[in-house]
Amino acid sequence: KNQVEQSPQSLIILEGKNCTLQCNYTVSPFSNLRWYKQDTGRGPVSLTIMTFSENTKSNGRYTATLDADTKQSSLHITASQLSDSASYICVVSGGTGGFKTIFGAGTRLFVKA
Amino acid sequence: KAGVTQTPRYLIKTRGQQVTLSCSPISGHRSVSWYQQTPGQGLQFLFEYFSETQRNKGNFPGRFSGRQFSNSRSEMNVSTLELGDSALYLCASSLAGRSEQYFGPGTRLTVT
């Protein structure tokens, strides 16, 4: 069964600190993996997209890594800011029996001053 | 280039009524996907349209339907509303289904 699991479910960190969010998936065959940031009440905004051949991609203070062998990805946020408070959603595309896009449940990040 | 727009942004309906939500994709994008987002379930895929044809469908009852027009604008309809239909409905557009998706701001539907 194609699944995407994210951890932790929620996270509280102090402003200026770093954090890492995890995403494990079972989607196969794999096409691509995306990380989205979603502010409360708004639509998700793409942070990074990676294909099978890519194992790291950065977008400012956001760095995503991908290990296609272990089917794991992480999103590292450096020097967190209050505006980083949001939900971070891992999305994996691929699968057999037709191309599918599977969304993880998200990690809710709270950055405190 | 203008982003994905959705109308209305907020909607309050009563159980049993029906509702139509609208999505205008980014100019040039031919694929439009719809998602339902609730606090407990996260994002759930409803359906995808490409060139006026439904290409994929999620696991939702027949009360949920959609269509796409020749200008790629899309509408989704929910009939016989239930309390559990209260959610944020998101529309995403892309050039061609498997490419990068861009989300609209969503329509917040509340069913009372």
Side-chain angles (χ1 to χ4, degrees):
Chain A
K1 183 180 178 183
N2 295 316
Q3 286 185 311
V4 176
E5 294 184 353
Q6 293 187 243
S7 62
Q9 195 171 31
S10 63
L11 183 61
I12 302 174
I13 62 173
L14 290 175
E15 186 180 15
K17 297 296 186 182
N18 304 334
C19 67
T20 300
L21 315 180
Q22 299 291 341
C23 173
N24 296 337
Y25 63 92
T26 59
V27 179
S28 182
F30 170 85
S31 178
N32 61 65
L33 184 147
R34 312 167 196 171
W35 282 94
Y36 285 90
K37 176 187 178 187
Q38 185 177 22
D39 293 312
T40 302
R42 294 175 176 250
V45 174
S46 179
L47 294 174
T48 63
I49 178 169
M50 290 184 290
T51 59
F52 184 88
S53 59
E54 298 171 295
N55 54 26
T56 186
K57 185 153 294 182
S58 292
N59 178 357
R61 295 180 296 101
Y62 301 100
T63 299
T65 63
L66 172 66
D67 186 333
D69 291 330
T70 61
K71 294 183 170 57
Q72 295 180 324
S73 176
S74 64
L75 180 69
H76 187 74
I77 304 174
T78 305
S80 61
Q81 300 176 357
L82 297 178
S83 59
D84 292 331
S85 294
S87 288
Y88 292 84
I89 304 171
C90 173
V91 184
V92 182
S93 295
T96 55
F99 188 84
K100 297 190 187 305
T101 295
I102 314 295
F103 286 75
T107 292
R108 190 74 176 93
L109 175 66
F110 300 90
V111 181
K112 296 176 63 175
Chain B
K1 189 182 270 191
V4 178
T5 58
Q6 292 187 246
T7 57
R9 291 293 313 278
Y10 303 92
L11 203 50
I12 300 175
K13 289 286 189 178
T14 306
R15 265 187 312 175
Q17 288 186 313
Q18 75 162 14
V19 67
T20 299
L21 312 182
S22 181
C23 170
S24 293
I26 292 172
S27 177
H29 285 193
R30 296 168 65 189
S31 172
V32 174
S33 297
W34 287 90
Y35 299 89
Q36 180 195 66
Q37 188 176 37
T38 56
Q41 295 292 321
L43 273 154
Q44 303 288 316
F45 172 71
L46 280 156
F47 26 65
E48 180 205 359
Y49 286 89
F50 181 82
S51 293
E52 302 179 66
T53 301
Q54 188 180 88
R55 195 157 65 171
N56 280 305
K57 191 177 188 304
N59 190 25
F60 277 81
R63 300 184 297 107
F64 292 80
S65 63
R67 59 178 176 168
Q68 187 179 34
F69 301 95
S70 58
N71 62 358
S72 293
R73 189 177 70 85
S74 178
E75 289 181 348
M76 69 162 279
N77 184 277
V78 188
S79 62
T80 320
L81 284 166
E82 300 176 0
L83 294 179
D85 296 334
S86 295
L88 180 68
Y89 289 88
L90 291 161
C91 159
S93 79
S94 63
L95 277 171
R98 298 189 179 197
S99 55
E100 182 68 45
Q101 285 188 314
Y102 296 85
F103 283 84
T107 293
R108 170 74 63 186
L109 172 64
T110 301
V111 182
T112 62

